[in-house]
Amino acid sequence: MAQALVEAVDLCKYFKTPKGLLHAVENVNFRIQEGKTLGVVGESGCGKSTLGRTVLRLHKATSGKVLYEGKDILSFSRSEMHNVHRNMQMIFQDPYSSLDPRMSIRALIGEPLSGLPRSERLSAAEEKEKVDAIMQMCGLPLHYANMYPHELDGGMRQRVGLARAMVLGPRFIVCDEPVSALDVSIQAQILNLLMDLQDEHKLSYMFITHDLAVVRHISDDIMVMYMGQVVEYAPSHMLFSSPMHPYTVALLNSIPTIDLSRRGRERITIHGEISSPVNPAPGCRFAPRCPYATEECRNEHKLVEVEKGHFAACTKGVK
Ligand SMILES: Nc1ncnc2c1ncn2[C@@H]1O[C@H](COP(=O)(O)OP(=O)(O)O)[C@@H](O)[C@H]1O
Ligand SMILES: [Mg+2]
């Protein structure tokens, strides 16, 4: 198997809280090849953003490894990390909050260039040329260069966020709910842009969303998270055609655009109390809400390869 560009091995991130240790990300494993997209799906609060931030070392991992081109970046020094960060960028749901309102679009997109090592610094003319090229690449009309963030709509602001991420020539981008705040028609434009950029530059993405319908077309693989745990991880087509974990099935059932009647799949809806990610019990965290939970589920949570490339912590969602 080709070496993954980005890989996580037993990655954990716990937060200390007044009530105890909050297990936001528990034993997560994944591999993302060059030019591929891993979709990360789950309800709000299940640990998606924490996972993305931990992979980029914006959070300090509690344990586990993050490999970039096979090297564990969690052990890198600051200067080694500086080089890696050029290759690993992040875009957010609301680029507005990360864009300094006093800076012009040109200055915002050019800003990451100021952190380049002296030997790679650009002249003013070169920087202008570079920013112009990136704006074009991201579908930003050049006359926006002298405007300010508040003058742009959400879709254009997301393009500015993407341009800032693209200006250093990254190979991997964590896209954290980048279209969740946008109108549906604008969502499609941004998703198309992301896919075009991926094709042209062989980019790899971790695409985070609470909306399975959004990741379907953009993802090669999909990881479903529930309260910090990965419950299922599979190539996108397998996840949609043969979901195994009851939580995945429930999530699929909640997508209005999917035909619920096909193949007599039983409808699983979610009831019951939500357990807490603080000092959690062992076992599957979905168990308290799962209609099929047994004693075994409350004791153990382990992903098993149920068919080639398809990992599930449980197969009780299959009827
Ligand atoms: N800095 C933090 N300190 C303490 N708890 C946090 C912090 N960031 C996130 N959490 C908690 O971690 C869990 C996962 O949060 P998050 O990663 O933001 O979920 P998602 O992105 O899936 O909505 C939540 O219970 C959240 O309250
Ligand atoms: Mg989030």
Side-chain angles (χ1 to χ4, degrees):
M1 203 183 336
Q3 179 180 283
L5 183 72
V6 183
E7 184 173 350
V9 183
D10 295 335
L11 193 62
C12 294
K13 175 62 192 178
Y14 301 163
F15 293 110
K16 288 198 184 83
T17 72
K19 288 183 184 158
L21 217 45
L22 190 154
H23 294 223
V25 171
E26 191 93 277
N27 271 320
V28 171
N29 291 276
F30 64 74
R31 297 166 60 89
I32 308 176
Q33 307 285 347
E34 180 174 65
K36 301 290 183 191
T37 298
L38 171 67
V40 177
V41 195
E43 289 163 285
S44 172
C46 73
K48 305 180 298 295
S49 296
T50 303
L51 174 64
R53 298 179 67 86
T54 307
V55 167
L56 296 184
R57 268 186 71 171
L58 301 173
H59 281 318
K60 189 175 183 309
T62 303
S63 60
K65 289 181 188 167
V66 176
L67 309 181
Y68 178 78
E69 293 187 307
K71 297 192 197 76
D72 184 8
I73 63 168
L74 300 186
S75 64
F76 275 19
S77 67
R78 268 179 82 99
S79 62
E80 287 173 309
M81 205 50 218
H82 196 75
N83 263 327
V84 173
H85 263 155
R86 292 171 62 169
N87 292 312
M88 303 175 92
Q89 293 286 318
M90 188 157 182
I91 60 173
F92 304 92
Q93 173 170 351
D94 177 15
Y96 200 44
S97 56
S98 60
L99 300 177
D100 185 336
R102 296 159 305 181
M103 286 170 75
S104 70
I105 301 306
R106 176 175 299 288
L108 282 165
I109 296 172
E111 189 187 29
L113 296 168
S114 63
L116 284 175
R118 204 170 289 273
S119 59
E120 292 178 52
R121 290 273 168 83
L122 303 180
S123 69
E126 286 166 336
E127 178 171 324
K128 179 171 184 306
E129 212 172 289
K130 176 98 194 172
V131 171
D132 285 355
I134 295 286
M135 287 183 71
Q136 263 164 341
M137 183 195 284
C138 295
L140 284 159
L142 287 184
H143 70 268
Y144 281 33
N146 299 320
M147 291 165 68
Y148 289 83
H150 74 267
E151 298 177 89
L152 273 51
D153 65 26
M156 284 297 164
R157 284 204 291 258
Q158 192 52 275
R159 288 174 195 265
V160 173
L162 191 53
R164 274 166 65 86
M166 286 301 291
V167 76
L168 293 175
R171 298 181 64 200
F172 173 66
I173 304 182
V174 173
C175 307
D176 190 355
E177 309 249 13
V179 301
S180 300
L182 304 175
D183 293 343
V184 173
S185 60
I186 313 273
Q187 284 189 2
Q189 292 172 15
I190 298 294
L191 291 173
N192 282 327
L193 172 60
L194 284 167
M195 288 191 277
D196 289 346
L197 290 174
Q198 177 167 57
D199 287 346
E200 259 165 67
H201 302 274
K202 287 194 178 169
L203 291 171
S204 303
Y205 294 137
M206 173 186 278
F207 192 98
I208 293 172
T209 176
H210 63 275
D211 183 351
L212 253 177
V214 166
V215 280
R216 179 168 199 169
H217 299 291
I218 199 166
S219 303
D220 297 282
D221 296 320
I222 295 181
M223 171 184 275
V224 180
M225 289 181 74
Y226 184 83
M227 221 176 269
Q229 293 176 328
V230 176
V231 299
E232 194 153 357
Y233 178 33
S236 181
H237 62 94
M238 284 188 200
L239 192 99
F240 279 90
S241 64
S242 53
M244 302 268 170
H245 195 286
Y247 179 65
T248 310
V249 173
L251 265 190
L252 286 168
N253 283 344
S254 66
I255 301 182
T257 51
I258 283 183
D259 178 12
L260 303 177
S261 61
R262 70 185 167 149
R263 292 175 192 248
R265 180 185 297 156
E266 197 170 301
R267 185 160 187 146
I268 301 174
T269 46
I270 305 178
H271 304 284
E273 62 178 290
I274 308 172
S275 56
S276 162
V278 178
N279 302 330
C284 178
R285 286 182 202 154
F286 188 58
R289 298 169 88 184
C290 182
Y292 310 116
T294 61
E295 199 46 39
E296 195 189 346
C297 305
R298 297 190 178 89
N299 291 322
E300 196 181 33
H301 175 93
K302 197 173 91 197
L303 284 174
V304 174
E305 192 165 14
V306 285
E307 57 186 317
K308 188 155 174 40
H310 186 166
F311 298 83
C314 174
T315 58
K316 297 192 183 75
V318 187
K319 277 288 124 187

